[in-house]
Short mmCIF file of all heavy atoms in Angstrom, two decimals:
data_model
loop_
_atom_site.label_atom_id
_atom_site.label_comp_id
_atom_site.label_asym_id
_atom_site.label_seq_id
_atom_site.Cartn_x
_atom_site.Cartn_y
_atom_site.Cartn_z
N PHE S 45 9.46 -3.84 26.80
CA PHE S 45 9.18 -2.80 27.79
C PHE S 45 10.41 -2.54 28.66
O PHE S 45 11.08 -3.48 29.13
CB PHE S 45 8.01 -3.24 28.67
CG PHE S 45 7.78 -2.41 29.90
CD1 PHE S 45 7.19 -1.16 29.81
CD2 PHE S 45 8.15 -2.89 31.15
CE1 PHE S 45 6.97 -0.39 30.94
CE2 PHE S 45 7.94 -2.13 32.29
CZ PHE S 45 7.34 -0.88 32.19
N LEU S 46 10.72 -1.27 28.89
CA LEU S 46 11.80 -0.90 29.80
C LEU S 46 11.25 -0.32 31.10
O LEU S 46 11.56 -0.82 32.19
CB LEU S 46 12.71 0.15 29.14
CG LEU S 46 13.56 -0.32 27.96
CD1 LEU S 46 14.34 0.86 27.39
CD2 LEU S 46 14.49 -1.43 28.36
N VAL S 47 10.44 0.75 30.99
CA VAL S 47 10.05 1.48 32.19
C VAL S 47 8.79 2.29 31.89
O VAL S 47 8.55 2.71 30.76
CB VAL S 47 11.20 2.40 32.65
CG1 VAL S 47 11.47 3.49 31.61
CG2 VAL S 47 10.94 3.00 34.01
N SER S 48 7.98 2.46 32.94
CA SER S 48 6.82 3.35 32.85
C SER S 48 7.00 4.47 33.88
O SER S 48 7.60 4.26 34.95
CB SER S 48 5.51 2.60 33.08
OG SER S 48 5.50 1.97 34.35
N PHE S 49 6.48 5.63 33.55
CA PHE S 49 6.74 6.84 34.33
C PHE S 49 5.43 7.59 34.46
O PHE S 49 4.79 7.93 33.47
CB PHE S 49 7.77 7.67 33.55
CG PHE S 49 8.40 8.80 34.30
CD1 PHE S 49 9.43 8.56 35.18
CD2 PHE S 49 8.00 10.10 34.08
CE1 PHE S 49 10.04 9.60 35.85
CE2 PHE S 49 8.59 11.16 34.73
CZ PHE S 49 9.63 10.90 35.62
N TYR S 50 5.03 7.82 35.69
CA TYR S 50 3.75 8.49 35.93
C TYR S 50 3.94 9.55 36.99
O TYR S 50 4.53 9.29 38.05
CB TYR S 50 2.69 7.48 36.38
CG TYR S 50 1.46 8.10 36.99
CD1 TYR S 50 0.60 8.87 36.21
CD2 TYR S 50 1.16 7.95 38.35
CE1 TYR S 50 -0.53 9.46 36.76
CE2 TYR S 50 0.04 8.53 38.90
CZ TYR S 50 -0.80 9.29 38.10
OH TYR S 50 -1.91 9.87 38.65
N ASN S 51 3.46 10.73 36.70
CA ASN S 51 3.48 11.81 37.69
C ASN S 51 4.88 12.04 38.24
O ASN S 51 5.07 12.18 39.45
CB ASN S 51 2.50 11.49 38.81
CG ASN S 51 1.99 12.74 39.51
OD1 ASN S 51 2.03 13.83 38.96
ND2 ASN S 51 1.55 12.56 40.75
N ASN S 52 5.85 12.02 37.32
CA ASN S 52 7.25 12.29 37.64
C ASN S 52 7.92 11.23 38.50
O ASN S 52 8.94 11.50 39.16
CB ASN S 52 7.40 13.67 38.30
CG ASN S 52 7.01 14.79 37.36
OD1 ASN S 52 7.24 14.69 36.15
ND2 ASN S 52 6.40 15.82 37.89
N GLU S 53 7.38 10.02 38.48
CA GLU S 53 8.00 8.92 39.21
C GLU S 53 7.94 7.65 38.38
O GLU S 53 7.02 7.46 37.59
CB GLU S 53 7.27 8.66 40.53
CG GLU S 53 7.45 9.74 41.56
CD GLU S 53 6.79 9.37 42.88
OE1 GLU S 53 6.12 8.33 42.93
OE2 GLU S 53 6.95 10.13 43.84
N ILE S 54 8.94 6.76 38.58
CA ILE S 54 8.89 5.45 37.94
C ILE S 54 7.78 4.64 38.60
O ILE S 54 7.72 4.52 39.82
CB ILE S 54 10.23 4.72 38.08
CG1 ILE S 54 11.31 5.40 37.23
CG2 ILE S 54 10.10 3.25 37.68
CD1 ILE S 54 12.69 4.80 37.40
N SER S 55 6.89 4.09 37.77
CA SER S 55 5.81 3.27 38.31
C SER S 55 6.07 1.78 38.12
O SER S 55 5.57 0.97 38.88
CB SER S 55 4.47 3.65 37.67
OG SER S 55 4.56 3.70 36.26
N GLU S 56 6.84 1.42 37.12
CA GLU S 56 7.24 0.03 36.93
C GLU S 56 8.47 -0.02 36.04
O GLU S 56 8.62 0.82 35.15
CB GLU S 56 6.11 -0.79 36.30
CG GLU S 56 6.41 -2.28 36.22
CD GLU S 56 5.24 -3.10 35.70
OE1 GLU S 56 4.16 -2.53 35.42
OE2 GLU S 56 5.39 -4.33 35.57
N LYS S 57 9.33 -0.99 36.27
CA LYS S 57 10.48 -1.18 35.41
C LYS S 57 10.72 -2.66 35.18
O LYS S 57 10.36 -3.49 36.02
CB LYS S 57 11.73 -0.52 35.99
CG LYS S 57 12.11 -0.99 37.38
CD LYS S 57 13.29 -0.18 37.90
CE LYS S 57 13.70 -0.65 39.29
NZ LYS S 57 14.85 0.14 39.83
N SER S 58 11.32 -2.97 34.04
CA SER S 58 11.58 -4.37 33.70
C SER S 58 12.97 -4.77 34.20
O SER S 58 13.75 -3.94 34.70
CB SER S 58 11.49 -4.57 32.19
OG SER S 58 12.60 -3.97 31.55
N GLU S 59 13.27 -6.06 34.02
CA GLU S 59 14.59 -6.58 34.42
C GLU S 59 15.70 -5.94 33.59
O GLU S 59 16.84 -5.86 34.02
CB GLU S 59 14.62 -8.09 34.25
CG GLU S 59 13.70 -8.83 35.21
CD GLU S 59 13.71 -10.32 34.96
OE1 GLU S 59 14.31 -10.76 33.96
OE2 GLU S 59 13.12 -11.06 35.77
N ILE S 60 15.35 -5.50 32.37
CA ILE S 60 16.35 -4.88 31.51
C ILE S 60 16.80 -3.55 32.11
O ILE S 60 17.95 -3.14 31.97
CB ILE S 60 15.76 -4.62 30.11
CG1 ILE S 60 15.25 -5.92 29.49
CG2 ILE S 60 16.78 -3.95 29.20
CD1 ILE S 60 14.43 -5.70 28.24
N PHE S 61 15.91 -2.86 32.76
CA PHE S 61 16.14 -1.51 33.27
C PHE S 61 16.96 -1.61 34.55
O PHE S 61 16.43 -1.50 35.67
CB PHE S 61 14.81 -0.82 33.53
CG PHE S 61 14.90 0.67 33.71
CD1 PHE S 61 14.87 1.51 32.62
CD2 PHE S 61 15.02 1.22 34.98
CE1 PHE S 61 14.94 2.89 32.78
CE2 PHE S 61 15.11 2.59 35.16
CZ PHE S 61 15.07 3.43 34.05
N ASP S 62 18.27 -1.81 34.39
CA ASP S 62 19.14 -1.95 35.56
C ASP S 62 19.74 -0.60 35.96
O ASP S 62 19.28 0.44 35.50
CB ASP S 62 20.22 -3.00 35.28
CG ASP S 62 21.10 -2.63 34.10
OD1 ASP S 62 21.18 -1.42 33.76
OD2 ASP S 62 21.72 -3.53 33.52
N ASP S 63 20.76 -0.63 36.80
CA ASP S 63 21.28 0.60 37.38
C ASP S 63 21.92 1.55 36.36
O ASP S 63 22.18 2.71 36.68
CB ASP S 63 22.32 0.26 38.47
CG ASP S 63 21.67 -0.37 39.68
OD1 ASP S 63 20.44 -0.25 39.81
OD2 ASP S 63 22.39 -0.98 40.48
N GLN S 64 22.21 1.05 35.17
CA GLN S 64 22.81 1.94 34.19
C GLN S 64 21.77 2.82 33.50
O GLN S 64 22.12 3.76 32.79
CB GLN S 64 23.58 1.14 33.13
CG GLN S 64 22.72 0.35 32.19
CD GLN S 64 23.48 -0.06 30.92
OE1 GLN S 64 24.50 0.52 30.57
NE2 GLN S 64 22.96 -1.06 30.23
N PHE S 65 20.50 2.52 33.71
CA PHE S 65 19.43 3.30 33.10
C PHE S 65 18.81 4.23 34.14
O PHE S 65 18.70 3.89 35.32
CB PHE S 65 18.31 2.38 32.58
CG PHE S 65 18.68 1.57 31.37
CD1 PHE S 65 19.17 0.28 31.51
CD2 PHE S 65 18.52 2.08 30.09
CE1 PHE S 65 19.51 -0.49 30.39
CE2 PHE S 65 18.84 1.32 28.97
CZ PHE S 65 19.33 0.04 29.13
N SER S 66 18.35 5.39 33.67
CA SER S 66 17.56 6.27 34.52
C SER S 66 16.63 7.09 33.64
O SER S 66 16.89 7.28 32.45
CB SER S 66 18.45 7.19 35.36
OG SER S 66 19.21 8.06 34.54
N VAL S 67 15.52 7.52 34.23
CA VAL S 67 14.57 8.36 33.51
C VAL S 67 14.24 9.56 34.38
O VAL S 67 14.26 9.48 35.61
CB VAL S 67 13.27 7.63 33.14
CG1 VAL S 67 13.51 6.59 32.08
CG2 VAL S 67 12.61 7.02 34.37
N GLU S 68 13.93 10.67 33.73
CA GLU S 68 13.49 11.83 34.47
C GLU S 68 12.78 12.78 33.53
O GLU S 68 12.83 12.65 32.29
CB GLU S 68 14.65 12.53 35.16
CG GLU S 68 15.73 13.07 34.25
CD GLU S 68 16.85 13.75 35.03
OE1 GLU S 68 16.89 13.64 36.27
OE2 GLU S 68 17.66 14.42 34.38
N ARG S 69 12.12 13.75 34.12
CA ARG S 69 11.44 14.79 33.37
C ARG S 69 11.99 16.11 33.90
O ARG S 69 11.35 16.79 34.71
CB ARG S 69 9.94 14.68 33.58
CG ARG S 69 9.13 15.35 32.50
CD ARG S 69 7.67 15.05 32.64
NE ARG S 69 6.93 15.61 31.53
CZ ARG S 69 5.60 15.66 31.46
NH1 ARG S 69 4.88 15.17 32.45
NH2 ARG S 69 5.02 16.19 30.41
N PRO S 70 13.17 16.49 33.46
CA PRO S 70 13.94 17.56 34.10
C PRO S 70 13.28 18.93 34.09
O PRO S 70 13.43 19.70 35.03
CB PRO S 70 15.26 17.56 33.32
CG PRO S 70 14.92 16.96 32.00
CD PRO S 70 13.86 15.94 32.29
N ASP S 71 12.54 19.24 33.05
CA ASP S 71 11.98 20.59 32.96
C ASP S 71 10.46 20.56 32.92
O ASP S 71 9.84 21.54 32.52
CB ASP S 71 12.54 21.31 31.73
CG ASP S 71 12.30 20.53 30.46
OD1 ASP S 71 11.59 19.50 30.52
OD2 ASP S 71 12.80 20.93 29.40
N GLY S 72 9.88 19.45 33.31
CA GLY S 72 8.43 19.33 33.31
C GLY S 72 7.85 19.12 31.93
O GLY S 72 6.64 18.96 31.79
N SER S 73 8.70 19.06 30.93
CA SER S 73 8.22 18.88 29.57
C SER S 73 8.89 17.67 28.94
O SER S 73 8.28 16.63 28.78
CB SER S 73 8.49 20.14 28.74
OG SER S 73 8.09 19.93 27.41
N ASN S 74 10.18 17.81 28.60
CA ASN S 74 10.90 16.69 28.01
C ASN S 74 11.01 15.53 28.98
O ASN S 74 11.13 15.72 30.20
CB ASN S 74 12.31 17.12 27.60
CG ASN S 74 12.29 18.10 26.45
OD1 ASN S 74 11.25 18.37 25.89
ND2 ASN S 74 13.44 18.65 26.13
N PHE S 75 10.99 14.33 28.42
CA PHE S 75 11.09 13.10 29.19
C PHE S 75 12.33 12.38 28.68
O PHE S 75 12.43 12.11 27.48
CB PHE S 75 9.81 12.30 28.94
CG PHE S 75 9.74 10.95 29.55
CD1 PHE S 75 10.07 10.74 30.87
CD2 PHE S 75 9.32 9.86 28.80
CE1 PHE S 75 9.99 9.49 31.43
CE2 PHE S 75 9.23 8.60 29.36
CZ PHE S 75 9.57 8.42 30.67
N THR S 76 13.31 12.12 29.55
CA THR S 76 14.59 11.60 29.08
C THR S 76 14.88 10.21 29.60
O THR S 76 14.46 9.84 30.70
CB THR S 76 15.74 12.53 29.49
OG1 THR S 76 15.84 12.54 30.91
CG2 THR S 76 15.54 13.94 28.97
N LEU S 77 15.62 9.46 28.78
CA LEU S 77 16.16 8.16 29.15
C LEU S 77 17.67 8.29 29.07
O LEU S 77 18.21 8.64 28.03
CB LEU S 77 15.68 7.06 28.21
CG LEU S 77 16.30 5.67 28.41
CD1 LEU S 77 15.83 5.06 29.73
CD2 LEU S 77 15.95 4.74 27.25
N LYS S 78 18.35 8.04 30.18
CA LYS S 78 19.80 8.14 30.23
C LYS S 78 20.38 6.74 30.39
O LYS S 78 19.93 5.95 31.22
CB LYS S 78 20.26 9.02 31.40
CG LYS S 78 21.77 9.18 31.49
CD LYS S 78 22.19 9.87 32.77
CE LYS S 78 21.77 11.30 32.81
NZ LYS S 78 22.31 12.00 34.03
N ILE S 79 21.38 6.47 29.58
CA ILE S 79 22.16 5.24 29.73
C ILE S 79 23.55 5.68 30.14
O ILE S 79 24.24 6.37 29.37
CB ILE S 79 22.21 4.42 28.44
CG1 ILE S 79 20.81 4.21 27.87
CG2 ILE S 79 22.87 3.06 28.70
CD1 ILE S 79 20.78 3.49 26.52
N ARG S 80 23.97 5.32 31.34
CA ARG S 80 25.19 5.89 31.92
C ARG S 80 26.46 5.41 31.26
O ARG S 80 27.34 6.19 30.93
CB ARG S 80 25.25 5.56 33.41
CG ARG S 80 24.24 6.31 34.23
CD ARG S 80 24.47 6.12 35.73
NE ARG S 80 23.43 6.80 36.49
CZ ARG S 80 22.23 6.30 36.73
NH1 ARG S 80 21.94 5.11 36.31
NH2 ARG S 80 21.34 6.98 37.42
N SER S 81 26.61 4.15 31.05
CA SER S 81 27.82 3.57 30.48
C SER S 81 27.38 2.54 29.45
O SER S 81 27.09 1.39 29.78
CB SER S 81 28.65 2.92 31.58
OG SER S 81 29.82 2.34 31.04
N THR S 82 27.33 2.99 28.20
CA THR S 82 26.74 2.14 27.17
C THR S 82 27.57 0.90 26.89
O THR S 82 28.81 0.91 26.97
CB THR S 82 26.55 2.93 25.87
OG1 THR S 82 27.78 3.58 25.54
CG2 THR S 82 25.46 3.96 26.02
#
Side-chain angles (χ1 to χ4, degrees):
Chain S
F45 168 76
L46 291 177
V47 65
S48 58
F49 193 79
Y50 165 67
N51 206 21
N52 296 325
E53 290 185 354
I54 291 175
S55 50
E56 186 175 358
K57 57 185 181 180
S58 72
E59 293 178 352
I60 303 169
F61 196 87
D62 60 23
D63 291 343
Q64 70 162 341
F65 290 93
S66 63
V67 291
E68 61 180 10
R69 201 172 185 189
D71 56 7
S73 177
N74 292 354
F75 175 48
T76 64
L77 174 69
K78 181 189 292 185
I79 309 176
R80 289 189 183 82
S81 179
T82 51

